[in-house]
Amino acid sequence: MNILFFNAKKGWGGVTSWMVKTTRRLNERGHRVSIISRGESLFTKKVPSDINYIPIKIGMDFNPLLIAKLVRYIRKNRIDVVITNTQKEVYAAGTAARICGVPVLRRLGTDLDLDSSFKSRLCQKFTTHYVIPCRDIYVKVAKKQSTAREMDFTVVYNGRDPENIGDGTIRELRKKWNIPYEAFVIGVTSKLSRTKRVNLIIDVFSMLKDSYPNLYLVIAGSGEASQDLMDQVARLNLKDRVRFTGFTEETMTYDASYDLAVSASVLEGFPNTVVEYMASGTAVVSTDVNGVPELIEHEVNGLLIPPDDSGALYEAVKRMIDDDTLRRRLRDRALDTILARFTEKKMIDDMESLLSKLVERNRS
């Protein structure tokens, strides 16, 4: 198959990581996959060299010049299917694909991506099928839209293969962070947006630090909340125990270097970050939001807490610090969960099957 991803995002987040990973794996299986993306973006700066990437100027919604360029590209490269994510992407790539008679697959990150607004309903007219990372999204969409049909949605869970990160690598990374190897490290690897509620994790760390002199917090990522979080750390006099490492592509290495990973997000679809925490062999505390319960079972392979509840977050983190046996048991069961249901192979198998069905249906 000849597959085109269209990406209008300026930043780099879970969807972007999924797109790059999926592109790479489908290419390995003999498909021809390319990504057309906004030229002035973080993706442009970080895109791996093995990805067939074409930078382009996006401009306004329904930009006629952009649509014309996409039509030419789709026809010249005999694209079989176009994959989009945001409404802006559907406006351009969906219009071009429709002109060319090519199916459009839209990936929804959360149920909020599909509502009853005029713009959303317009996007639906240009969308052939939806791929969603968890069943929770369809359930919520169906509650809001009586016209939503389950047959138009396919769940493809995010997958990540466990990696064997050696003790020497962890030791070197902690040295780079200026953290003692023997320290207990709480970690966050995430886009630093306000919905991630990293500020609550900092507050909880502030409450715990005096009771645990060897406790450190690592925050890996970038985003619009970065400066606010740094200001919060300075205000709480935590600079000696909190490390901001910035954006990293070495997410699994970072995750494996934590003793405990925490997700305090109030809005997720099916979070790549939590999948990667579990695949890295790190115990996890996460908020019980959206598709997370499809991945984590409370007290079985992680701890779930209510969103925006700093008291519950404090108790869960403290419990994980104090109880080595619990932390190791949850970590081991988390790895078992990934291997059984959430590997990259399973994700790509499901995605490849869905794309093949869409292309065959369009040709028939």
Side-chain angles (χ1 to χ4, degrees):
M1 288 180 290
N2 297 324
I3 303 162
L4 172 63
F5 283 91
F6 182 64
N7 174 39
K9 291 179 176 291
K10 294 181 179 179
W12 186 295
V15 172
T16 316
S17 297
W18 170 84
M19 179 175 59
V20 169
K21 188 188 307 178
T22 302
T23 295
R24 181 176 285 133
R25 297 296 175 250
L26 288 172
N27 278 329
E28 290 172 357
R29 296 187 180 199
H31 303 290
R32 293 177 61 231
V33 189
S34 53
I35 300 175
I36 293 181
S37 181
R38 182 188 292 272
E40 66 286 5
S41 66
L42 185 59
F43 180 82
T44 301
K45 299 176 182 177
K46 299 292 184 180
V47 61
S49 59
D50 62 321
I51 300 296
N52 182 23
Y53 160 66
I54 304 96
I56 201 166
K57 186 174 181 179
I58 301 295
M60 63 182 181
D61 293 343
F62 293 105
N63 182 344
L65 291 177
L66 173 60
I67 292 171
K69 289 180 181 178
L70 292 173
V71 167
R72 285 197 296 271
Y73 186 89
I74 290 170
R75 287 175 172 167
K76 179 180 179 181
N77 293 276
R78 298 181 179 180
I79 298 299
D80 295 305
V81 60
V82 173
I83 304 174
T84 63
N85 172 228
T86 66
Q87 287 186 358
K88 193 175 188 69
E89 292 163 13
V90 177
Y91 294 151
T95 303
R98 187 165 184 173
I99 292 171
C100 298
V102 172
V104 176
L105 180 64
R106 184 180 178 192
R107 186 183 191 274
L108 300 180
T110 76
D111 62 288
L112 300 178
D113 292 337
L114 200 62
D115 55 36
S116 58
S117 67
F118 172 75
K119 285 188 174 182
S120 182
R121 284 186 281 113
L122 185 60
C123 281
Q124 292 176 47
K125 293 183 181 296
F126 291 97
T127 304
T128 309
H129 197 82
Y130 298 94
V131 60
I132 51 179
C134 60
R135 180 162 176 75
D136 175 78
I137 292 174
Y138 170 72
V139 172
K140 286 186 167 64
V141 167
K143 286 181 179 179
K144 294 185 294 185
Q145 296 190 27
S146 59
T147 57
R149 304 182 304 168
E150 190 164 8
M151 63 182 288
D152 294 330
F153 295 78
T154 299
V155 176
V156 176
Y157 286 112
N158 298 335
R160 195 68 157 99
D161 293 335
E163 295 181 13
N164 185 20
I165 308 299
D167 187 68
T169 300
I170 294 172
R171 189 180 294 272
E172 284 301 312
L173 189 53
R174 289 194 172 193
K175 182 179 180 181
K176 176 183 174 182
W177 292 337
N178 193 26
I179 293 177
Y181 176 71
E182 301 77 15
F184 190 102
V185 177
I186 299 171
V188 178
T189 307
S190 174
K191 181 180 180 181
L192 301 183
S193 63
R194 288 172 179 81
T195 60
K196 302 298 183 181
R197 296 295 197 268
V198 178
N199 60 306
L200 293 185
I201 300 173
I202 294 172
D203 283 339
V204 166
F205 180 82
S206 179
M207 291 186 280
L208 289 165
K209 71 176 181 65
D210 290 339
S211 300
Y212 302 94
N214 212 25
L215 186 67
Y216 288 79
L217 174 62
V218 171
I219 300 171
S222 60
E224 75 271 12
S226 296
Q227 190 58 56
D228 289 344
L229 296 173
M230 291 179 187
D231 292 344
Q232 180 185 5
V233 165
R235 187 170 62 253
L236 294 172
N237 295 315
L238 299 175
K239 283 187 174 181
D240 60 330
R241 304 271 286 277
V242 177
R243 305 289 186 263
F244 287 93
T245 68
F247 174 84
T248 180
E249 295 176 1
E250 306 271 338
T251 54
M252 292 285 283
T253 303
Y254 275 50
D255 296 346
S257 302
Y258 308 149
D259 295 287
L260 174 65
V262 180
S263 173
S265 180
V266 295
L267 178 64
E268 293 288 352
F270 188 80
N272 274 316
T273 52
V274 177
V275 174
E276 291 181 343
Y277 290 156
M278 295 171 70
S280 72
T282 302
V284 182
V285 170
S286 175
T287 44
D288 185 355
V289 294
N290 303 104
V292 174
E294 296 174 47
L295 174 65
I296 293 180
E297 184 178 353
H298 183 56
E299 299 277 0
V300 174
N301 57 3
L303 295 183
L304 293 176
I305 59 170
D308 274 335
D309 189 334
S310 56
L313 179 60
Y314 173 89
E315 293 298 330
V317 171
K318 186 176 188 305
R319 185 180 172 199
M320 285 287 212
I321 296 171
D322 291 339
D323 194 337
D324 288 346
T325 302
L326 170 70
R327 195 173 66 254
R328 289 170 182 163
R329 176 173 62 81
L330 296 181
R331 175 196 67 192
D332 292 344
R333 290 296 299 275
L335 269 174
D336 291 342
T337 300
I338 295 296
L339 289 169
R341 298 176 54 208
F342 302 105
T343 61
E344 280 190 27
K345 182 180 183 303
K346 177 71 166 59
M347 177 183 75
I348 300 303
D349 284 347
D350 291 346
M351 192 67 186
E352 185 179 39
S353 175
L354 171 60
L355 292 171
S356 296
K357 289 176 182 176
L358 289 177
V359 172
E360 288 303 315
R361 188 184 307 157
N362 190 57
R363 288 172 178 170
S364 61

